[in-house]
Amino acid sequence: MALTGRTALLAALGSLPVGLFAPSWAGILAVNAPLSLAILCDYALAAPVRTLRFTRSGDTSVRLGDGAEVHLTVTNPSGRRLRAHLRDAWPPSSWLPGTEQAISRHKVTVPAGERRRLTTLLRPTRRGDRQAERITVRSFGPMGLAARQGHHEVPWTVRVLPPFHSRKHLPSRLARLRELDGRTSLLTRGEGTEFDSLRAYVPGDDTRSIDWRATARQSAVAVRTWRPERDRHILVVLDTGRTSAGRVGDVPRLDAAMDATLLLAALASRAGDRLDLLAYDRRTRAQVRGHAAGDVLPALVNALAPLEPELVETDARGLAAATLKNAPRRSLIVLLTTLDAAPIEEGLLPVLPQLTRRHTVLVASVADPHIEKMSRERGTVDAVYEAAAGTQAQAQRRRTAEQLQRYGVTVVDATPENLAPALADAYLALKAAGRL
């Protein structure tokens, strides 16, 4: 039995000397029999907690930064009125700091044989699955002197999805894709482009695109329009090793890589290409394969949501083997990893010829904008040392990028907010050049 308002009850008794000794509850109840009887009656009239029934409903997924509503229905099958304080417990990352008290705690009154619905508004601060913890109920008697308390387990999971901030860049890249997709005459054509249609010549068109046979059959000059080949295969490989756990600004490198992956997937699906995903460090952490264009983005979002970096060194040979296994024919391999010298020189470079022999390889990496800021600092001795360190770090990344480019690898090195659009531009450039 939980007794409430202990301080107020002690003050009401008033007959015991304060500070001489700490009175026990048994002694207090013996001194004041009417109050004891009132407390016992209040406890007896409190609705039982064990017989309460709970069901959940509401959102099962939410984008990081948005709110999710989870409904909890409380059914009181007993013959007594339920007057209760209820705590619907969730992990701390399920809401903004300092808001747990206001959100998770509810006051509820449920008449006998009826039900009430409570709503808990979650606003998660991390990706992944958030699972409901136990429900704690304190059922008070009519006078509020005593209460019953108990717990219930009511499972529910809310999956927190990546936010996909880079979707704002999608319209401009789709406009560029429409230009490549045969709706305008391409001035530069690469190997592997497909003939699309004929149209009338307009000033400014490349004269090499004139179709002289078609022109001879009609009175106007006709030009050929071309579009990049469709149904190309793209394999995005996420390096989930220790380097992906580093934070650049307030964003983990892995999260920036995920955002770039989602923009690339949205663009590739509109271009008619097929995109698969492989997340790897020392073993496969996530995989998406064989989805149709309309289903690939939801599949990617669900696969990426619970993915976290592993504090281990990435096995480059295992990564290359897994990549080749998932790309049986010529593909565009997009590897999102670090450009730090040691992991590239000791890990990736020895296995890179296996990938470039059959595939087009693009390496994308998250650059730290603080390093660029450091390289511009002047004015104090400390600032000069920081500038030297920043300049050295930038030069090292450039040397690493040049090493990769000697193998025919396209390199994208951009800050977290610019990585996604830069990767999309590199994909469009490869497509326009016919290198997919």
Side-chain angles (χ1 to χ4, degrees), residues 239-248 251-255 308-312 338:
D239 179 357
T240 55
R242 63 171 184 83
T243 56
S244 67
R247 301 183 74 87
V248 179
V251 180
R253 282 188 167 91
L254 182 59
D255 285 38
E308 295 293 342
E310 298 291 330
L311 299 181
V312 296
T338 180

Side-chain angles (χ1 to χ4, degrees), residues 265-277:
L267 190 58
S269 62
R270 300 289 186 91
D273 292 333
R274 297 181 298 106
L275 185 140
D276 294 338
L277 170 75

Side-chain angles (χ1 to χ4, degrees), residues 199-410:
R199 63 167 176 81
Y201 175 86
V202 295
D205 284 340
D206 188 355
T207 55
R208 292 174 296 178
S209 64
I210 296 176
D211 188 316
W212 295 107
R213 290 186 178 182
T215 300
R217 293 194 299 267
Q218 59 188 31
S219 58
V221 177
V223 295
R224 295 171 181 162
T225 59
W226 304 81
R227 66 181 180 188
E229 291 184 3
R230 292 175 175 269
D231 198 30
R232 301 296 89 186
H233 181 236
I234 303 170
L235 177 62
V236 176
V237 182
L238 284 180
D239 179 357
T240 55
R242 63 171 184 83
T243 56
S244 67
R247 301 183 74 87
V248 179
D250 197 34
V251 180
R253 282 188 167 91
L254 182 59
D255 285 38
M258 288 181 182
D259 197 47
T261 300
L262 294 177
L263 181 62
L264 179 61
L267 190 58
S269 62
R270 300 289 186 91
D273 292 333
R274 297 181 298 106
L275 185 140
D276 294 338
L277 170 75
L278 174 68
Y280 192 93
D281 42 70
R282 290 189 174 272
R283 63 179 178 86
T284 299
R285 301 290 177 179
Q287 193 170 18
V288 175
R289 293 185 65 184
H291 287 272
D295 301 328
V296 65
L297 202 58
L300 282 174
V301 167
N302 273 295
L304 293 174
L307 192 62
E308 295 293 342
E310 298 291 330
L311 299 181
V312 296
E313 197 71 39
T314 299
D315 177 11
R317 294 187 181 278
L319 184 145
T323 299
L324 293 173
K325 182 179 178 181
N326 285 271
R329 62 187 181 90
R330 183 169 179 81
S331 306
L332 170 62
I333 307 298
V334 179
L335 175 58
L336 289 137
T337 185
T338 180
L339 277 183
D340 293 345
I344 294 293
E345 294 174 358
E346 299 173 10
L348 183 59
L349 286 182
V351 300
L352 195 57
Q354 302 176 36
L355 301 178
T356 56
R357 188 179 302 121
R358 295 174 52 189
H359 306 291
T360 301
V361 179
L362 188 157
V363 173
S365 180
V366 181
D368 191 345
H370 182 65
I371 293 179
E372 183 178 353
K373 182 181 177 182
M374 286 171 54
S375 64
R376 297 195 303 264
E377 291 294 327
R378 299 292 188 276
T380 65
V381 174
D382 290 343
V384 171
Y385 278 108
E386 287 188 359
T391 302
Q392 184 179 16
Q394 288 179 324
Q396 187 179 62
R397 290 180 73 88
R398 283 195 296 269
R399 284 194 299 270
T400 304
E402 289 168 359
Q403 286 180 296
L404 294 172
Q405 288 165 352
R406 292 192 194 104
Y407 287 88
V409 175
T410 301

Side-chain angles (χ1 to χ4, degrees), residues 17-322:
V18 178
L20 295 180
F21 61 93
S24 67
W25 280 110
I28 294 173
L29 297 180
V31 171
N32 199 324
L35 180 59
S36 303
L37 181 61
I39 292 174
L40 292 174
C41 290
D42 201 45
Y43 176 79
L45 293 174
V49 174
R50 286 185 179 180
T51 59
L52 295 176
R53 296 198 297 268
F54 297 89
T55 56
R56 290 192 186 273
S57 61
D59 296 328
T60 56
S61 63
V62 62
R63 288 199 180 276
L64 182 64
D66 295 339
E69 290 186 351
V70 178
H71 308 298
L72 180 68
T73 301
V74 185
T75 303
N76 178 19
S78 71
R80 306 171 199 161
R81 188 181 187 88
L82 174 68
R83 308 168 182 84
H85 291 174
L86 182 147
R87 180 175 182 260
D88 186 9
W90 290 76
S93 59
S94 300
W95 32 58
L96 299 175
T99 62
E100 187 267 346
Q101 285 281 105
I103 295 174
S104 67
R105 299 175 187 270
H106 306 271
K107 281 187 177 182
V108 61
T109 301
V110 185
E114 296 187 14
R115 67 185 65 182
R116 293 290 184 270
R117 192 173 78 166
L118 307 174
T119 299
T120 301
L121 180 62
L122 307 180
R123 192 171 292 276
T125 58
R126 291 180 58 188
R127 284 182 298 99
D129 292 336
R130 297 292 169 268
Q131 296 181 344
E133 298 176 357
R134 66 184 184 181
I135 298 169
T136 304
V137 183
R138 180 172 291 178
S139 173
F140 291 88
M143 294 179 286
L145 297 176
R148 304 169 185 264
Q149 183 166 308
H151 310 286
H152 288 264
E153 301 287 343
V154 187
W156 191 260
T157 301
V158 175
R159 172 155 287 190
V160 186
L161 308 175
F164 195 11
H165 294 305
S166 63
R167 63 182 178 271
K168 63 186 177 183
H169 300 290
L170 186 58
S172 61
R173 271 62 190 180
L174 288 177
R176 173 62 179 152
L177 179 63
R178 285 192 292 269
E179 294 179 3
L180 301 178
D181 201 22
R183 303 191 185 185
T184 60
S185 178
L186 296 180
L187 298 181
T188 302
R189 299 201 307 273
E191 181 184 356
T193 55
E194 295 177 340
F195 171 74
D196 183 50
S197 62
L198 293 171
R199 63 167 176 81
Y201 175 86
V202 295
D205 284 340
D206 188 355
T207 55
R208 292 174 296 178
S209 64
I210 296 176
D211 188 316
W212 295 107
R213 290 186 178 182
T215 300
R217 293 194 299 267
Q218 59 188 31
S219 58
V221 177
V223 295
R224 295 171 181 162
T225 59
W226 304 81
R227 66 181 180 188
E229 291 184 3
R230 292 175 175 269
D231 198 30
R232 301 296 89 186
H233 181 236
I234 303 170
L235 177 62
V236 176
V237 182
L238 284 180
D239 179 357
T240 55
R242 63 171 184 83
T243 56
S244 67
R247 301 183 74 87
V248 179
D250 197 34
V251 180
R253 282 188 167 91
L254 182 59
D255 285 38
M258 288 181 182
D259 197 47
T261 300
L262 294 177
L263 181 62
L264 179 61
L267 190 58
S269 62
R270 300 289 186 91
D273 292 333
R274 297 181 298 106
L275 185 140
D276 294 338
L277 170 75
L278 174 68
Y280 192 93
D281 42 70
R282 290 189 174 272
R283 63 179 178 86
T284 299
R285 301 290 177 179
Q287 193 170 18
V288 175
R289 293 185 65 184
H291 287 272
D295 301 328
V296 65
L297 202 58
L300 282 174
V301 167
N302 273 295
L304 293 174
L307 192 62
E308 295 293 342
E310 298 291 330
L311 299 181
V312 296
E313 197 71 39
T314 299
D315 177 11
R317 294 187 181 278
L319 184 145

